[in-house]
Amino acid sequence: MKKRLAYLMGFFALMLLFFIIQKPGFMFYNDAVGRGIPMLDYFKVMWHGISLDAATTGYLTALPWLVICISIWFKHFPLRKMIVIYYILISLIVATIFVGDMCLYPFWNFKLDASVFFYLESPKNAAASVSIGFITLRILIILLLAGIMCWVLYYFTPRCLPYVRKRLAATLSTLLIGGLLFLIIRGGVSESTSNIGQVYFCNDEFLNHSAVNPAFSLLASISKTKDYASQYDYFDEAERKTLFDGLYPTKGKNTVELLNTHRPNILIILMEGFGATMIESLGGTKGASPNIDRLAKEGIWFTHCYANSFRTDRGTICALSGYQSFPDLSVMKIPAKSRTLPSIAGKLVKEGYHTDFLYGGDINFTNMKSYLLQSGYQKLTADVDFPMNQHQNAWGVNDDITFDHLFQMLTERQETPWHTTFLTLSSHEPFEVPYHRLPEAKPNAFAFTDHCLGEFVEKLKQTPIWKDLLIICLSDHGFYYPDNSGHGHDERIHHIPMLWLGGSVKQPMVIDCIMNQTDLAATLLAQLGIDHSEFNFSRNVLGTEYTYPFAYWSFGGGYAFADSTGVTVMDLNADRPMIERPSSNTNRILRGKAILQSSYDDIGAR
């Protein structure tokens, strides 16, 4: 049995080593020297990339592990003969992926993903930009690398495996190794599974890309790649354009100026699941958020804002990039798409802002880390930056601790102007918080976040920071409450609060126009006098061109459209309305379909 275990461990180590040493090769080929990359960064790239290299190696080890399981029940098992074809295949595949990724990066500036298959459908056109010599040399390099890899694996592998006396015990031991292999593939036992974002470690996109295992990038993208532009083609292009044009104006002067300064320090607080169902003044649960209701009277209170989606990863993109939501995909999970999006942070960095992001949970979850770094956040703080004794929530660190950390961070800050985004955590299931004002767990967890927010704001008012500060409180998505209270994606559930307050706010105001959380980007940037024309699905709701207020949101299997005439919630599978209030309205259906089709056209083009 020792010989079998040694083989599995050796195979894993060799494949892992192949992936690790590919990284400096990728960097050298793509002019790391010319980019001024110091030697230390080569080691950082290899170190931070190991987790994805290990996960990919785990996938490749699965078949040898299965072969070892089977070999236990044979007296003499010809391992080398049985596995050599597998070695040839994986050597060719790994070498092709490595060389393809390395050579395509100068043209694409992103890691190899499934979009390569769209180009291979027309190989003549794909090869038009390079010479025959260029292609021939790369093919020879692929064959050479594959040959070396296959040769090393072949001669490392025992010819035959000896007889095992205690077959049952050996099988159980091998199954335990399989469990360990599964954990390596999964990326551990934390909430997040292996994803590209977990190896991002700095603000240099080239270094982050260098750390990504190209085989993992390709495999991960295959499961997410569709011909998005061909989905939901309800109308021909002329009719779609007629229905869609004018719904998302990108120009127009402000009808009102909300701020005392065009360059305030900006704190965005994304409140986990804090829908209007938990805001008494918006028709929600009584007593769940007295501080938000109180602060609403001191700031600018947007009373008819609606979340575009139903999950944090989707709502974060909607709020921070002003980008549309989708029924069947999360843009954050597709780095090749999310990297193309505009963002509030990216625009502010160009204006000289220092940016950072704070979250008490696992920032690797759903590729959040890669999105945040690529969208302009220069520093990230997450659960790993807090001591383990402060991890008292299943998701990480509770809001009382993170709000205190945020206060300390802001009061010690020297650079200005700055922009910080803070994603809260405690109002997420299992709703376990060190606070017991309300008897029911769910509203009590929201009351806890509200309590922490209230204390945080009152402390800030006593500091010099308050004078030039703009705080924007906005939910990432709504919350279904109480249980069994109607359709899970009607307007009541997607209704969310948005509140602007701070010393930079001129005066309290209530804004009642219908809007989406995606409209934060254009509305904020317009108030700052910053161009927002690249935000295709974000509207300045205080602009002269915002003449048709409406809200749109999507969810698994459906979408909704709400305007002054009412709301329509559509079932995409049945292609019929599930809800129409107060009555049916063809215009709402047609405009909703036009937005859905336009959204997929846009994501398909990125």
Side-chain angles (χ1 to χ4, degrees), residues 195-197 200 270 312-323 331-335 337-345 357 363 365-377 380 535:
N195 62 76
I196 289 171
Y200 281 37
L270 279 177
T312 298
D313 54 317
R314 304 177 185 216
T316 300
I317 291 275
C318 294
L320 301 184
S321 284
Y323 196 61
V331 182
M332 184 179 281
K333 295 180 181 179
I334 313 174
K337 301 292 185 181
S338 65
R339 68 184 292 275
T340 69
L341 300 180
S343 65
I344 294 172
F357 190 96
I363 211 161
F365 197 52
T366 65
N367 270 317
M368 183 184 290
K369 184 178 180 181
S370 68
Y371 163 71
L372 294 172
L373 287 173
Q374 290 179 136
S375 64
Y377 287 99
L380 308 180
F535 292 79

mmCIF file of all heavy atoms in Angstrom, residues 195-197 200 270 312-323 331-335 337-345 357 363 365-377 380 535:
data_model
loop_
_atom_site.group_PDB
_atom_site.id
_atom_site.type_symbol
_atom_site.label_atom_id
_atom_site.label_comp_id
_atom_site.label_asym_id
_atom_site.label_seq_id
_atom_site.Cartn_x
_atom_site.Cartn_y
_atom_site.Cartn_z
ATOM 1 N N ASN A 195 -12.143 29.568 -6.655
ATOM 2 C CA ASN A 195 -12.512 30.506 -7.709
ATOM 3 C C ASN A 195 -11.315 31.377 -8.048
ATOM 4 O O ASN A 195 -10.356 31.471 -7.275
ATOM 5 C CB ASN A 195 -13.717 31.359 -7.300
ATOM 6 C CG ASN A 195 -13.435 32.220 -6.091
ATOM 7 O OD1 ASN A 195 -12.758 33.251 -6.175
ATOM 8 N ND2 ASN A 195 -13.936 31.811 -4.926
ATOM 9 N N ILE A 196 -11.366 31.988 -9.200
ATOM 10 C CA ILE A 196 -10.225 32.754 -9.709
ATOM 11 C C ILE A 196 -9.837 33.882 -8.762
ATOM 12 O O ILE A 196 -8.660 34.168 -8.539
ATOM 13 C CB ILE A 196 -10.545 33.293 -11.108
ATOM 14 C CG1 ILE A 196 -10.564 32.144 -12.116
ATOM 15 C CG2 ILE A 196 -9.537 34.353 -11.543
ATOM 16 C CD1 ILE A 196 -11.077 32.516 -13.481
ATOM 17 N N GLY A 197 -10.838 34.528 -8.156
ATOM 18 C CA GLY A 197 -10.572 35.687 -7.313
ATOM 19 C C GLY A 197 -9.721 35.400 -6.099
ATOM 20 O O GLY A 197 -9.083 36.301 -5.557
ATOM 21 N N TYR A 200 -6.049 36.543 -6.377
ATOM 22 C CA TYR A 200 -5.731 37.964 -6.571
ATOM 23 C C TYR A 200 -5.174 38.522 -5.265
ATOM 24 O O TYR A 200 -5.755 38.333 -4.198
ATOM 25 C CB TYR A 200 -6.982 38.737 -6.973
ATOM 26 C CG TYR A 200 -7.367 38.597 -8.428
ATOM 27 C CD1 TYR A 200 -7.207 37.395 -9.105
ATOM 28 C CD2 TYR A 200 -7.916 39.654 -9.132
ATOM 29 C CE1 TYR A 200 -7.566 37.256 -10.430
ATOM 30 C CE2 TYR A 200 -8.286 39.528 -10.472
ATOM 31 C CZ TYR A 200 -8.099 38.323 -11.106
ATOM 32 O OH TYR A 200 -8.463 38.193 -12.415
ATOM 33 N N LEU A 270 -23.215 49.150 2.081
ATOM 34 C CA LEU A 270 -24.121 48.167 1.484
ATOM 35 C C LEU A 270 -24.664 47.294 2.608
ATOM 36 O O LEU A 270 -23.922 46.538 3.225
ATOM 37 C CB LEU A 270 -23.372 47.307 0.466
ATOM 38 C CG LEU A 270 -23.161 47.869 -0.935
ATOM 39 C CD1 LEU A 270 -22.345 46.890 -1.771
ATOM 40 C CD2 LEU A 270 -24.485 48.150 -1.608
ATOM 41 N N THR A 312 -26.352 38.846 -3.020
ATOM 42 C CA THR A 312 -25.328 39.843 -2.742
ATOM 43 C C THR A 312 -24.361 40.017 -3.899
ATOM 44 O O THR A 312 -24.002 41.148 -4.257
ATOM 45 C CB THR A 312 -24.554 39.465 -1.465
ATOM 46 O OG1 THR A 312 -25.458 39.446 -0.361
ATOM 47 C CG2 THR A 312 -23.431 40.448 -1.190
ATOM 48 N N ASP A 313 -23.898 38.909 -4.505
ATOM 49 C CA ASP A 313 -22.939 39.038 -5.596
ATOM 50 C C ASP A 313 -23.533 39.826 -6.759
ATOM 51 O O ASP A 313 -22.838 40.606 -7.416
ATOM 52 C CB ASP A 313 -22.455 37.655 -6.059
ATOM 53 C CG ASP A 313 -23.604 36.722 -6.422
ATOM 54 O OD1 ASP A 313 -24.602 36.690 -5.687
ATOM 55 O OD2 ASP A 313 -23.492 36.010 -7.438
ATOM 56 N N ARG A 314 -24.824 39.649 -7.004
ATOM 57 C CA ARG A 314 -25.472 40.363 -8.110
ATOM 58 C C ARG A 314 -25.779 41.805 -7.730
ATOM 59 O O ARG A 314 -25.554 42.732 -8.510
ATOM 60 C CB ARG A 314 -26.735 39.616 -8.517
ATOM 61 C CG ARG A 314 -26.460 38.167 -8.895
ATOM 62 C CD ARG A 314 -27.725 37.405 -9.221
ATOM 63 N NE ARG A 314 -27.430 35.996 -9.464
ATOM 64 C CZ ARG A 314 -28.050 35.239 -10.351
ATOM 65 N NH1 ARG A 314 -29.019 35.752 -11.090
ATOM 66 N NH2 ARG A 314 -27.729 33.973 -10.514
ATOM 67 N N GLY A 315 -26.302 41.992 -6.517
ATOM 68 C CA GLY A 315 -26.642 43.336 -6.072
ATOM 69 C C GLY A 315 -25.432 44.234 -5.933
ATOM 70 O O GLY A 315 -25.521 45.449 -6.151
ATOM 71 N N THR A 316 -24.277 43.661 -5.570
ATOM 72 C CA THR A 316 -23.052 44.449 -5.453
ATOM 73 C C THR A 316 -22.640 45.011 -6.809
ATOM 74 O O THR A 316 -22.258 46.184 -6.931
ATOM 75 C CB THR A 316 -21.921 43.592 -4.868
ATOM 76 O OG1 THR A 316 -22.309 43.122 -3.567
ATOM 77 C CG2 THR A 316 -20.632 44.386 -4.740
ATOM 78 N N ILE A 317 -22.703 44.182 -7.837
ATOM 79 C CA ILE A 317 -22.409 44.642 -9.196
ATOM 80 C C ILE A 317 -23.386 45.745 -9.610
ATOM 81 O O ILE A 317 -22.997 46.777 -10.171
ATOM 82 C CB ILE A 317 -22.499 43.467 -10.196
ATOM 83 C CG1 ILE A 317 -21.353 42.478 -9.974
ATOM 84 C CG2 ILE A 317 -22.537 43.986 -11.639
ATOM 85 C CD1 ILE A 317 -20.070 42.805 -10.654
ATOM 86 N N CYS A 318 -24.669 45.529 -9.315
ATOM 87 C CA CYS A 318 -25.689 46.518 -9.689
ATOM 88 C C CYS A 318 -25.420 47.864 -9.025
ATOM 89 O O CYS A 318 -25.501 48.910 -9.664
ATOM 90 C CB CYS A 318 -27.083 46.016 -9.301
ATOM 91 S SG CYS A 318 -27.634 44.555 -10.206
ATOM 92 N N ALA A 319 -25.098 47.837 -7.734
ATOM 93 C CA ALA A 319 -24.915 49.070 -6.983
ATOM 94 C C ALA A 319 -23.600 49.770 -7.320
ATOM 95 O O ALA A 319 -23.572 50.986 -7.524
ATOM 96 C CB ALA A 319 -24.977 48.776 -5.486
ATOM 97 N N LEU A 320 -22.502 49.027 -7.376
ATOM 98 C CA LEU A 320 -21.182 49.644 -7.508
ATOM 99 C C LEU A 320 -20.759 49.859 -8.959
ATOM 100 O O LEU A 320 -19.895 50.697 -9.238
ATOM 101 C CB LEU A 320 -20.130 48.802 -6.774
ATOM 102 C CG LEU A 320 -20.378 48.593 -5.281
ATOM 103 C CD1 LEU A 320 -19.226 47.829 -4.655
ATOM 104 C CD2 LEU A 320 -20.591 49.919 -4.556
ATOM 105 N N SER A 321 -21.345 49.097 -9.886
ATOM 106 C CA SER A 321 -21.017 49.282 -11.302
ATOM 107 C C SER A 321 -22.201 49.800 -12.104
ATOM 108 O O SER A 321 -22.077 50.001 -13.316
ATOM 109 C CB SER A 321 -20.521 47.961 -11.918
ATOM 110 O OG SER A 321 -19.198 47.687 -11.523
ATOM 111 N N GLY A 322 -23.348 50.001 -11.454
ATOM 112 C CA GLY A 322 -24.514 50.501 -12.167
ATOM 113 C C GLY A 322 -24.904 49.603 -13.318
ATOM 114 O O GLY A 322 -25.424 50.074 -14.337
ATOM 115 N N TYR A 323 -24.660 48.292 -13.157
ATOM 116 C CA TYR A 323 -24.891 47.369 -14.262
ATOM 117 C C TYR A 323 -26.125 46.519 -14.013
ATOM 118 O O TYR A 323 -26.502 46.268 -12.864
ATOM 119 C CB TYR A 323 -23.671 46.484 -14.485
ATOM 120 C CG TYR A 323 -23.679 45.783 -15.825
ATOM 121 C CD1 TYR A 323 -23.672 46.506 -17.006
ATOM 122 C CD2 TYR A 323 -23.692 44.400 -15.907
ATOM 123 C CE1 TYR A 323 -23.685 45.875 -18.244
ATOM 124 C CE2 TYR A 323 -23.704 43.754 -17.126
ATOM 125 C CZ TYR A 323 -23.704 44.490 -18.295
ATOM 126 O OH TYR A 323 -23.732 43.859 -19.516
ATOM 127 N N VAL A 331 -22.744 38.102 -12.972
ATOM 128 C CA VAL A 331 -21.610 38.688 -13.699
ATOM 129 C C VAL A 331 -20.346 38.643 -12.847
ATOM 130 O O VAL A 331 -19.243 38.474 -13.366
ATOM 131 C CB VAL A 331 -21.925 40.134 -14.125
ATOM 132 C CG1 VAL A 331 -20.774 40.729 -14.931
ATOM 133 C CG2 VAL A 331 -23.202 40.184 -14.952
ATOM 134 N N MET A 332 -20.488 38.754 -11.529
ATOM 135 C CA MET A 332 -19.324 38.724 -10.642
ATOM 136 C C MET A 332 -18.567 37.409 -10.765
ATOM 137 O O MET A 332 -17.347 37.360 -10.582
ATOM 138 C CB MET A 332 -19.752 38.950 -9.188
ATOM 139 C CG MET A 332 -18.590 39.033 -8.207
ATOM 140 S SD MET A 332 -19.113 39.329 -6.513
ATOM 141 C CE MET A 332 -19.426 41.088 -6.555
ATOM 142 N N LYS A 333 -19.259 36.327 -11.086
ATOM 143 C CA LYS A 333 -18.626 35.023 -11.194
ATOM 144 C C LYS A 333 -17.932 34.809 -12.533
ATOM 145 O O LYS A 333 -17.357 33.741 -12.766
ATOM 146 C CB LYS A 333 -19.667 33.920 -10.978
ATOM 147 C CG LYS A 333 -20.255 33.890 -9.574
ATOM 148 C CD LYS A 333 -21.269 32.772 -9.445
ATOM 149 C CE LYS A 333 -21.882 32.745 -8.051
ATOM 150 N NZ LYS A 333 -22.889 31.668 -7.907
ATOM 151 N N ILE A 334 -18.006 35.803 -13.408
ATOM 152 C CA ILE A 334 -17.389 35.683 -14.731
ATOM 153 C C ILE A 334 -16.372 36.813 -14.883
ATOM 154 O O ILE A 334 -16.679 37.884 -15.423
ATOM 155 C CB ILE A 334 -18.445 35.759 -15.854
ATOM 156 C CG1 ILE A 334 -19.638 34.853 -15.531
ATOM 157 C CG2 ILE A 334 -17.836 35.356 -17.194
ATOM 158 C CD1 ILE A 334 -20.776 34.974 -16.516
ATOM 159 N N PRO A 335 -15.147 36.623 -14.383
ATOM 160 C CA PRO A 335 -14.165 37.718 -14.398
ATOM 161 C C PRO A 335 -13.922 38.322 -15.766
ATOM 162 O O PRO A 335 -13.667 39.523 -15.881
ATOM 163 C CB PRO A 335 -12.896 37.041 -13.849
ATOM 164 C CG PRO A 335 -13.400 35.930 -12.999
ATOM 165 C CD PRO A 335 -14.632 35.427 -13.694
ATOM 166 N N LYS A 337 -16.002 39.013 -17.929
ATOM 167 C CA LYS A 337 -17.058 39.998 -18.169
ATOM 168 C C LYS A 337 -16.999 41.131 -17.142
ATOM 169 O O LYS A 337 -17.093 42.306 -17.501
ATOM 170 C CB LYS A 337 -18.431 39.319 -18.112
ATOM 171 C CG LYS A 337 -18.633 38.197 -19.121
ATOM 172 C CD LYS A 337 -18.690 38.718 -20.541
ATOM 173 C CE LYS A 337 -19.014 37.610 -21.532
ATOM 174 N NZ LYS A 337 -19.048 38.074 -22.925
ATOM 175 N N SER A 338 -16.860 40.767 -15.868
ATOM 176 C CA SER A 338 -16.914 41.802 -14.820
ATOM 177 C C SER A 338 -15.770 42.798 -14.943
ATOM 178 O O SER A 338 -15.908 43.963 -14.564
ATOM 179 C CB SER A 338 -16.909 41.152 -13.430
ATOM 180 O OG SER A 338 -15.692 40.472 -13.175
ATOM 181 N N ARG A 339 -14.640 42.352 -15.489
ATOM 182 C CA ARG A 339 -13.489 43.263 -15.629
ATOM 183 C C ARG A 339 -13.748 44.374 -16.635
ATOM 184 O O ARG A 339 -13.037 45.376 -16.659
ATOM 185 C CB ARG A 339 -12.239 42.475 -16.041
ATOM 186 C CG ARG A 339 -12.306 41.901 -17.437
ATOM 187 C CD ARG A 339 -11.077 41.043 -17.764
ATOM 188 N NE ARG A 339 -9.897 41.846 -17.864
ATOM 189 C CZ ARG A 339 -9.514 42.495 -18.966
ATOM 190 N NH1 ARG A 339 -10.274 42.440 -20.049
ATOM 191 N NH2 ARG A 339 -8.399 43.185 -18.976
ATOM 192 N N THR A 340 -14.759 44.207 -17.481
ATOM 193 C CA THR A 340 -15.056 45.225 -18.500
ATOM 194 C C THR A 340 -16.018 46.290 -18.002
ATOM 195 O O THR A 340 -16.279 47.271 -18.715
ATOM 196 C CB THR A 340 -15.670 44.566 -19.747
ATOM 197 O OG1 THR A 340 -16.982 44.068 -19.432
ATOM 198 C CG2 THR A 340 -14.803 43.414 -20.249
ATOM 199 N N LEU A 341 -16.564 46.110 -16.799
ATOM 200 C CA LEU A 341 -17.602 47.019 -16.322
ATOM 201 C C LEU A 341 -17.010 48.321 -15.791
ATOM 202 O O LEU A 341 -15.941 48.331 -15.176
ATOM 203 C CB LEU A 341 -18.407 46.351 -15.203
ATOM 204 C CG LEU A 341 -19.146 45.060 -15.547
ATOM 205 C CD1 LEU A 341 -19.880 44.547 -14.317
ATOM 206 C CD2 LEU A 341 -20.110 45.271 -16.696
ATOM 207 N N PRO A 342 -17.716 49.419 -15.973
ATOM 208 C CA PRO A 342 -17.328 50.655 -15.281
ATOM 209 C C PRO A 342 -17.676 50.514 -13.806
ATOM 210 O O PRO A 342 -18.393 49.590 -13.411
ATOM 211 C CB PRO A 342 -18.196 51.718 -15.955
ATOM 212 C CG PRO A 342 -19.432 50.979 -16.372
ATOM 213 C CD PRO A 342 -18.957 49.592 -16.762
ATOM 214 N N SER A 343 -17.185 51.408 -12.989
ATOM 215 C CA SER A 343 -17.487 51.327 -11.557
ATOM 216 C C SER A 343 -17.351 52.690 -10.905
ATOM 217 O O SER A 343 -16.617 53.560 -11.400
ATOM 218 C CB SER A 343 -16.541 50.342 -10.855
ATOM 219 O OG SER A 343 -15.208 50.824 -10.900
ATOM 220 N N ILE A 344 -18.047 52.860 -9.806
ATOM 221 C CA ILE A 344 -17.926 54.096 -9.032
ATOM 222 C C ILE A 344 -16.498 54.275 -8.553
ATOM 223 O O ILE A 344 -15.897 55.354 -8.690
ATOM 224 C CB ILE A 344 -18.907 54.079 -7.842
ATOM 225 C CG1 ILE A 344 -20.353 54.102 -8.348
ATOM 226 C CG2 ILE A 344 -18.642 55.253 -6.910
ATOM 227 C CD1 ILE A 344 -21.388 53.901 -7.256
ATOM 228 N N ALA A 345 -15.913 53.204 -8.003
ATOM 229 C CA ALA A 345 -14.545 53.295 -7.476
ATOM 230 C C ALA A 345 -13.559 53.646 -8.580
ATOM 231 O O ALA A 345 -12.659 54.478 -8.389
ATOM 232 C CB ALA A 345 -14.155 51.979 -6.812
ATOM 233 N N PHE A 357 -12.206 48.757 0.538
ATOM 234 C CA PHE A 357 -13.436 47.984 0.734
ATOM 235 C C PHE A 357 -13.299 47.166 2.007
ATOM 236 O O PHE A 357 -12.267 46.538 2.254
ATOM 237 C CB PHE A 357 -13.669 47.065 -0.467
ATOM 238 C CG PHE A 357 -15.024 46.393 -0.481
ATOM 239 C CD1 PHE A 357 -16.069 46.927 -1.210
ATOM 240 C CD2 PHE A 357 -15.242 45.226 0.237
ATOM 241 C CE1 PHE A 357 -17.317 46.315 -1.235
ATOM 242 C CE2 PHE A 357 -16.479 44.595 0.226
ATOM 243 C CZ PHE A 357 -17.527 45.145 -0.506
ATOM 244 N N ILE A 363 -14.125 37.319 1.490
ATOM 245 C CA ILE A 363 -14.143 38.166 0.307
ATOM 246 C C ILE A 363 -13.814 37.392 -0.967
ATOM 247 O O ILE A 363 -13.918 37.919 -2.078
ATOM 248 C CB ILE A 363 -13.181 39.357 0.504
ATOM 249 C CG1 ILE A 363 -13.678 40.588 -0.255
ATOM 250 C CG2 ILE A 363 -11.759 38.988 0.118
ATOM 251 C CD1 ILE A 363 -13.084 41.875 0.213
ATOM 252 N N PHE A 365 -15.555 34.759 -1.758
ATOM 253 C CA PHE A 365 -16.826 34.148 -2.132
ATOM 254 C C PHE A 365 -17.350 34.760 -3.435
ATOM 255 O O PHE A 365 -17.352 35.972 -3.613
ATOM 256 C CB PHE A 365 -17.831 34.362 -0.999
ATOM 257 C CG PHE A 365 -19.033 33.460 -1.052
ATOM 258 C CD1 PHE A 365 -18.881 32.093 -1.155
ATOM 259 C CD2 PHE A 365 -20.303 33.979 -0.981
ATOM 260 C CE1 PHE A 365 -19.979 31.256 -1.188
ATOM 261 C CE2 PHE A 365 -21.422 33.164 -1.014
ATOM 262 C CZ PHE A 365 -21.248 31.793 -1.126
ATOM 263 N N THR A 366 -17.782 33.912 -4.358
ATOM 264 C CA THR A 366 -18.373 34.307 -5.647
ATOM 265 C C THR A 366 -17.481 35.249 -6.466
ATOM 266 O O THR A 366 -17.978 36.100 -7.191
ATOM 267 C CB THR A 366 -19.765 34.961 -5.464
ATOM 268 O OG1 THR A 366 -19.616 36.198 -4.744
ATOM 269 C CG2 THR A 366 -20.717 34.049 -4.722
ATOM 270 N N ASN A 367 -16.163 35.081 -6.337
ATOM 271 C CA ASN A 367 -15.214 35.904 -7.107
ATOM 272 C C ASN A 367 -15.267 37.385 -6.749
ATOM 273 O O ASN A 367 -14.855 38.246 -7.540
ATOM 274 C CB ASN A 367 -15.451 35.749 -8.615
ATOM 275 C CG ASN A 367 -14.642 34.620 -9.216
ATOM 276 O OD1 ASN A 367 -13.471 34.453 -8.908
ATOM 277 N ND2 ASN A 367 -15.279 33.823 -10.046
ATOM 278 N N MET A 368 -15.763 37.700 -5.553
ATOM 279 C CA MET A 368 -15.881 39.098 -5.150
ATOM 280 C C MET A 368 -14.528 39.804 -5.155
ATOM 281 O O MET A 368 -14.409 40.957 -5.583
ATOM 282 C CB MET A 368 -16.517 39.208 -3.763
ATOM 283 C CG MET A 368 -16.742 40.638 -3.304
ATOM 284 S SD MET A 368 -17.390 40.758 -1.613
ATOM 285 C CE MET A 368 -19.044 40.109 -1.855
ATOM 286 N N LYS A 369 -13.505 39.111 -4.702
ATOM 287 C CA LYS A 369 -12.187 39.730 -4.580
ATOM 288 C C LYS A 369 -11.671 40.213 -5.932
ATOM 289 O O LYS A 369 -11.170 41.339 -6.049
ATOM 290 C CB LYS A 369 -11.203 38.733 -3.962
ATOM 291 C CG LYS A 369 -9.822 39.291 -3.684
ATOM 292 C CD LYS A 369 -8.955 38.232 -3.022
ATOM 293 C CE LYS A 369 -7.567 38.742 -2.717
ATOM 294 N NZ LYS A 369 -6.728 37.691 -2.101
ATOM 295 N N SER A 370 -11.797 39.366 -6.956
ATOM 296 C CA SER A 370 -11.297 39.778 -8.271
ATOM 297 C C SER A 370 -12.086 40.962 -8.813
ATOM 298 O O SER A 370 -11.519 41.891 -9.391
ATOM 299 C CB SER A 370 -11.356 38.608 -9.255
ATOM 300 O OG SER A 370 -12.688 38.250 -9.554
ATOM 301 N N TYR A 371 -13.403 40.946 -8.617
ATOM 302 C CA TYR A 371 -14.219 42.072 -9.088
ATOM 303 C C TYR A 371 -13.812 43.375 -8.402
ATOM 304 O O TYR A 371 -13.643 44.410 -9.051
ATOM 305 C CB TYR A 371 -15.701 41.803 -8.845
ATOM 306 C CG TYR A 371 -16.536 43.064 -8.936
ATOM 307 C CD1 TYR A 371 -16.750 43.678 -10.163
ATOM 308 C CD2 TYR A 371 -17.067 43.662 -7.796
ATOM 309 C CE1 TYR A 371 -17.486 44.860 -10.258
ATOM 310 C CE2 TYR A 371 -17.800 44.838 -7.873
ATOM 311 C CZ TYR A 371 -18.002 45.432 -9.102
ATOM 312 O OH TYR A 371 -18.714 46.603 -9.178
ATOM 313 N N LEU A 372 -13.655 43.343 -7.083
ATOM 314 C CA LEU A 372 -13.346 44.559 -6.337
ATOM 315 C C LEU A 372 -12.001 45.141 -6.745
ATOM 316 O O LEU A 372 -11.867 46.357 -6.938
ATOM 317 C CB LEU A 372 -13.363 44.272 -4.832
ATOM 318 C CG LEU A 372 -14.729 43.905 -4.239
ATOM 319 C CD1 LEU A 372 -14.577 43.453 -2.794
ATOM 320 C CD2 LEU A 372 -15.700 45.074 -4.327
ATOM 321 N N LEU A 373 -10.990 44.292 -6.878
ATOM 322 C CA LEU A 373 -9.667 44.788 -7.259
ATOM 323 C C LEU A 373 -9.679 45.350 -8.679
ATOM 324 O O LEU A 373 -9.059 46.378 -8.954
ATOM 325 C CB LEU A 373 -8.635 43.664 -7.130
ATOM 326 C CG LEU A 373 -8.241 43.283 -5.704
ATOM 327 C CD1 LEU A 373 -7.349 42.047 -5.698
ATOM 328 C CD2 LEU A 373 -7.540 44.431 -4.978
ATOM 329 N N GLN A 374 -10.388 44.672 -9.568
ATOM 330 C CA GLN A 374 -10.423 45.144 -10.949
ATOM 331 C C GLN A 374 -11.290 46.383 -11.119
ATOM 332 O O GLN A 374 -11.114 47.143 -12.072
ATOM 333 C CB GLN A 374 -10.922 44.024 -11.871
ATOM 334 C CG GLN A 374 -9.915 42.886 -12.008
ATOM 335 C CD GLN A 374 -10.399 41.766 -12.903
ATOM 336 O OE1 GLN A 374 -9.662 41.265 -13.740
ATOM 337 N NE2 GLN A 374 -11.635 41.350 -12.720
ATOM 338 N N SER A 375 -12.220 46.601 -10.192
ATOM 339 C CA SER A 375 -13.114 47.751 -10.333
ATOM 340 C C SER A 375 -12.560 49.016 -9.685
ATOM 341 O O SER A 375 -13.198 50.061 -9.753
ATOM 342 C CB SER A 375 -14.488 47.431 -9.736
ATOM 343 O OG SER A 375 -14.394 47.217 -8.344
ATOM 344 N N GLY A 376 -11.398 48.915 -9.042
ATOM 345 C CA GLY A 376 -10.755 50.135 -8.560
ATOM 346 C C GLY A 376 -10.511 50.235 -7.073
ATOM 347 O O GLY A 376 -9.985 51.247 -6.604
ATOM 348 N N TYR A 377 -10.873 49.207 -6.317
ATOM 349 C CA TYR A 377 -10.609 49.265 -4.876
ATOM 350 C C TYR A 377 -9.152 48.901 -4.619
ATOM 351 O O TYR A 377 -8.700 47.817 -4.974
ATOM 352 C CB TYR A 377 -11.570 48.348 -4.113
ATOM 353 C CG TYR A 377 -12.966 48.926 -4.068
ATOM 354 C CD1 TYR A 377 -13.946 48.502 -4.957
ATOM 355 C CD2 TYR A 377 -13.288 49.937 -3.168
ATOM 356 C CE1 TYR A 377 -15.218 49.059 -4.944
ATOM 357 C CE2 TYR A 377 -14.548 50.494 -3.151
ATOM 358 C CZ TYR A 377 -15.511 50.050 -4.042
ATOM 359 O OH TYR A 377 -16.761 50.613 -4.027
ATOM 360 N N LEU A 380 -8.309 45.935 0.336
ATOM 361 C CA LEU A 380 -9.443 45.129 0.782
ATOM 362 C C LEU A 380 -9.191 44.644 2.205
ATOM 363 O O LEU A 380 -8.093 44.192 2.531
ATOM 364 C CB LEU A 380 -9.638 43.916 -0.135
ATOM 365 C CG LEU A 380 -9.728 44.171 -1.646
ATOM 366 C CD1 LEU A 380 -9.922 42.855 -2.390
ATOM 367 C CD2 LEU A 380 -10.851 45.143 -1.969
ATOM 368 N N PHE A 535 -21.971 54.160 -18.199
ATOM 369 C CA PHE A 535 -22.856 53.331 -17.378
ATOM 370 C C PHE A 535 -24.182 53.147 -18.127
ATOM 371 O O PHE A 535 -25.113 53.936 -17.993
ATOM 372 C CB PHE A 535 -23.085 53.981 -16.011
ATOM 373 C CG PHE A 535 -21.860 54.014 -15.135
ATOM 374 C CD1 PHE A 535 -20.868 54.980 -15.327
ATOM 375 C CD2 PHE A 535 -21.692 53.080 -14.122
ATOM 376 C CE1 PHE A 535 -19.745 55.016 -14.523
ATOM 377 C CE2 PHE A 535 -20.559 53.102 -13.312
ATOM 378 C CZ PHE A 535 -19.592 54.067 -13.511
#
